[in-house]
Amino acid sequence: MKNIYIKAFCILTLGLTFASCNDYLDDAPKGSKIPTTLADYEAFLRDEYSNQSVDAAQALNLMNDKFIDIATLAAERLTKANYMWDETADRIDLKQSDERMYYGQYQGISTFNLIIENALTTTEATEDQKRIIWAEAKILRAMSYYNLVNFYADTYDASTAKTKLSVPLITSADVNAPSKQVTIQELYDFILNDVKEALPYLPKVSQTALHPNLGAGYAFNSRVYLQMSNYTEALKYANLALTENNRLYDWNAYYVANKTVIDLPNSYTNTPSPMGYDYVENYTYRHGASTSLSTEFSLPVERAQRFEAGDVRFKSRWKIRTVGVETYYRRTLSGMFNYGGITTVEIYLIKAECLARAGQISDALTSLNAVRKTRIQPSSYQDIVTTDRTVALNAIFKTKNNELILTLIPFADARRLNAEGVYKVSFSKVDNGTTYNLSSTSHLWTMPFPQGAVKNPGNGTITQNVAK
């Protein structure tokens, strides 16, 4: 793996190198500031573009959750392999360039390691203030490892988690720190322990949207336990998270307020995104895969058709457009989008799934319908009512996939459901008269490590988790 460095501390220019961050801190260049106060370290949490973004682009491609035009498919062979579900493609060979998911998450981890190592010994702060920053860095580090393990390793399965490898585990900010590619079980244990240690010190109110609060800690724990199919613990922490924040944004009100612009035929004038830093559903905020942070991705027609009739959240964000031979749903919002953090709607739907699996169908649908009422036009809305667990769960999965589209979560959920083997996820599409399929057992559900990481693993080793 390429050595991950913190640019404010370790400089590699004009042949000047430092063996480690610690060495550099002992001898800072003239004009540079050696971090000593808690505020110095806390500032790194605010570096949202480097440390707090989640680029799950290839997962979105595999899910066909974003529109890829003909020119891009011709130019980007890895994108085409995932988007067209080409099981014959050697994705390892195609992944010759660096990948933002891998290096971006490890850059954040290096920053969070630095804070965890130093926050408790900083100056100009109380012990309580130090513990808060330390705990926030623990949550953010755990979130980054969750993203990595659910992208580059097979999904969690209790029967194989102790033997299958995950990703390199690094707990030091030193650029020469040793790393070990631990098992999936070991990494999940590490993630859960980080959360356990952080929870007692997380504040109830965030300093900014980038700083995880107590609700974010509970919500993330619920997400992790759900991925482990531990529905009892996932429900427990979902309830705790909703006690901290249970607000849902009223997309019906947004649509009414912007209806004149949204419904204007053949107009793609952008309306403001409400899903930014102050979105009422935020537990914690992180950017997503788009390199243009002020816009979101457009959708394929086939994907757009899976939204529920009367969904004004969908209608407010995308509008059908034809350019040449290509028809797609063009994005129409501008602003910021919380694609890498955690929101209340995810936790409502985790709660709904856990309740349904426990046989509490009525309560599960209460949680599901609470979300739908804020999304579906009153003229189209009807409560989903059923006593059948499978019907209820499929409705929950559909809503969750639509609500969390363009995030890593639908990909992670599909992998979890495929491993379970009951509610398996597969896709089929027809393109230019040819039928393409993605089976629930395809090796494409696990992404290969970038070649640079395998060929240059730093102070450790990396074994590919897929054959191609």
Side-chain angles (χ1 to χ4, degrees):
M1 176 175 51
K2 290 186 176 179
N3 290 330
I4 308 299
Y5 63 92
I6 304 299
K7 60 185 176 183
F9 298 121
C10 299
I11 300 174
L12 178 57
T13 56
L14 302 177
L16 178 63
T17 61
F18 295 92
S20 70
C21 289
N22 291 333
D23 293 341
Y24 179 62
L25 291 175
D26 293 336
D27 186 18
K30 184 178 180 180
S32 296
K33 176 180 174 62
I34 297 176
T36 56
T37 69
L38 183 65
D40 293 335
Y41 286 96
E42 183 274 331
F44 285 98
L45 296 181
R46 300 169 186 262
D47 187 359
E48 59 193 279
Y49 305 111
S50 298
N51 298 324
Q52 299 227 47
S53 62
V54 184
D55 188 348
Q58 292 302 334
L60 307 186
N61 293 341
L62 189 77
M63 297 288 289
N64 277 206
D65 275 354
K66 67 172 184 174
F67 172 69
I68 308 294
D69 58 43
I70 295 172
T72 300
L73 289 177
E76 300 179 8
R77 295 168 62 201
L78 178 61
T79 293
K80 182 178 181 180
N82 285 318
Y83 193 73
M84 303 306 293
W85 307 322
D86 183 1
E87 293 195 332
T88 68
D90 188 343
R91 296 180 303 159
I92 296 172
D93 181 61
L94 295 178
K95 194 172 280 191
Q96 296 184 20
S97 60
D98 292 349
E99 186 164 53
R100 288 174 58 204
M101 169 60 95
Y102 188 86
Y103 294 110
Q105 294 307 293
Y106 275 111
Q107 180 174 347
I109 287 168
S110 184
T111 298
F112 307 138
N113 283 340
L114 187 75
I115 296 169
I116 292 165
E117 289 174 339
N118 293 281
L120 300 183
T121 58
T122 54
T123 61
E124 300 181 24
T126 66
E127 291 304 310
D128 286 346
Q129 291 170 330
K130 295 175 185 179
R131 277 291 177 184
I132 288 172
I133 301 302
W134 175 87
E136 290 170 342
K138 283 249 174 183
I139 294 294
L140 291 170
R141 180 173 71 177
M143 289 177 67
S144 291
Y145 273 123
Y146 173 93
N147 295 332
L148 288 166
V149 73
N150 282 288
F151 196 83
Y152 294 109
D154 286 349
T155 198
Y156 185 91
D157 183 333
S159 66
T160 61
K162 292 182 179 179
T163 56
K164 285 190 175 182
L165 291 175
S166 62
V167 300
L169 178 61
I170 307 172
T171 59
S172 171
D174 191 314
V175 296
N176 290 319
S179 66
K180 179 184 178 183
Q181 188 178 4
V182 296
T183 66
I184 294 171
Q185 185 67 57
E186 287 173 317
L187 191 60
Y188 270 85
D189 289 344
F190 180 85
I191 289 170
L192 289 172
N193 188 65
D194 258 3
V195 179
K196 179 181 178 181
E197 291 183 348
L199 282 176
Y201 305 102
L202 291 172
K204 292 181 73 68
V205 179
S206 299
Q207 187 172 353
T208 75
L210 302 172
H211 294 67
N213 56 22
L214 182 60
Y218 289 147
F220 176 63
N221 228 19
S222 180
R223 176 191 284 180
V224 175
Y225 278 118
L226 181 75
Q227 198 64 28
M228 300 174 74
S229 299
N230 186 334
Y231 303 113
T232 300
E233 289 298 300
L235 177 60
K236 168 187 171 182
Y237 284 101
N239 283 327
L240 288 170
L242 292 171
T243 299
E244 298 297 320
N245 180 12
N246 65 356
R247 290 176 292 176
L248 291 168
Y249 185 76
D250 188 349
W251 279 91
N252 277 302
Y254 178 90
Y255 173 71
V256 170
N258 295 277
K259 187 177 187 298
T260 302
V261 176
I262 293 170
D263 289 349
L264 191 63
N266 301 315
S267 173
Y268 302 92
T269 302
N270 289 337
T271 49
S273 166
M275 297 178 286
Y277 306 114
D278 59 351
Y279 193 40
V280 298
E281 295 182 0
N282 287 345
Y283 286 113
T284 186
Y285 181 97
R286 277 180 155 181
H287 294 291
S290 178
T291 55
S292 176
L293 294 175
S294 62
T295 59
E296 57 183 343
F297 292 118
S298 297
L299 306 184
V301 172
E302 296 83 359
R303 180 61 187 87
Q305 291 171 342
R306 298 207 294 271
F307 279 82
E308 190 173 345
D311 188 333
V312 292
R313 185 171 182 264
F314 165 76
K315 193 173 184 178
S316 299
R317 296 168 67 185
W318 294 285
K319 186 181 294 186
I320 196 165
R321 186 182 193 185
T322 298
V323 179
V325 299
E326 297 182 304
T327 299
Y328 60 98
Y329 277 78
R330 184 187 184 276
R331 79 293 185 278
T332 59
L333 293 187
S334 63
M336 295 297 176
F337 305 88
N338 188 4
Y339 287 142
I342 310 178
T343 60
T344 56
V345 69
E346 178 183 350
I347 305 308
Y348 269 94
L349 297 172
I350 288 177
K351 177 177 179 177
E353 179 180 346
C354 293
L355 288 169
R357 288 181 178 275
Q360 299 173 250
I361 309 300
S362 178
D363 291 339
L365 295 178
T366 296
S367 187
L368 169 64
N369 288 325
V371 172
R372 294 178 59 251
K373 286 175 184 176
T374 65
R375 271 62 174 169
I376 309 302
Q377 283 179 297
S379 58
S380 299
Y381 181 82
Q382 288 186 334
D383 276 346
I384 294 176
V385 179
T386 183
T387 58
D388 187 290
R389 182 168 69 172
T390 296
V391 172
L393 282 169
N394 282 330
I396 293 164
F397 299 148
K398 177 179 179 178
T399 299
K400 191 177 181 186
N401 284 337
N402 289 335
E403 284 293 322
L404 300 180
I405 191 172
L406 304 181
T407 76
L408 180 66
I409 301 306
F411 175 75
D413 276 348
R415 287 157 40 96
R416 169 173 61 89
L417 295 174
N418 287 340
E420 178 191 34
V422 179
Y423 305 99
K424 294 184 287 188
V425 178
S426 60
F427 296 111
S428 180
K429 65 181 177 183
V430 178
D431 186 83
N432 289 327
T434 301
T435 300
Y436 297 89
N437 297 293
L438 176 65
S439 74
S440 61
T441 58
S442 174
H443 69 273
L444 297 176
W445 288 105
T446 298
M447 299 294 168
F449 291 117
Q451 284 194 26
V454 177
K455 292 178 178 179
N456 184 14
N459 192 6
T461 59
I462 300 179
T463 301
Q464 278 285 4
N465 288 324
V466 291
K468 60 182 179 179

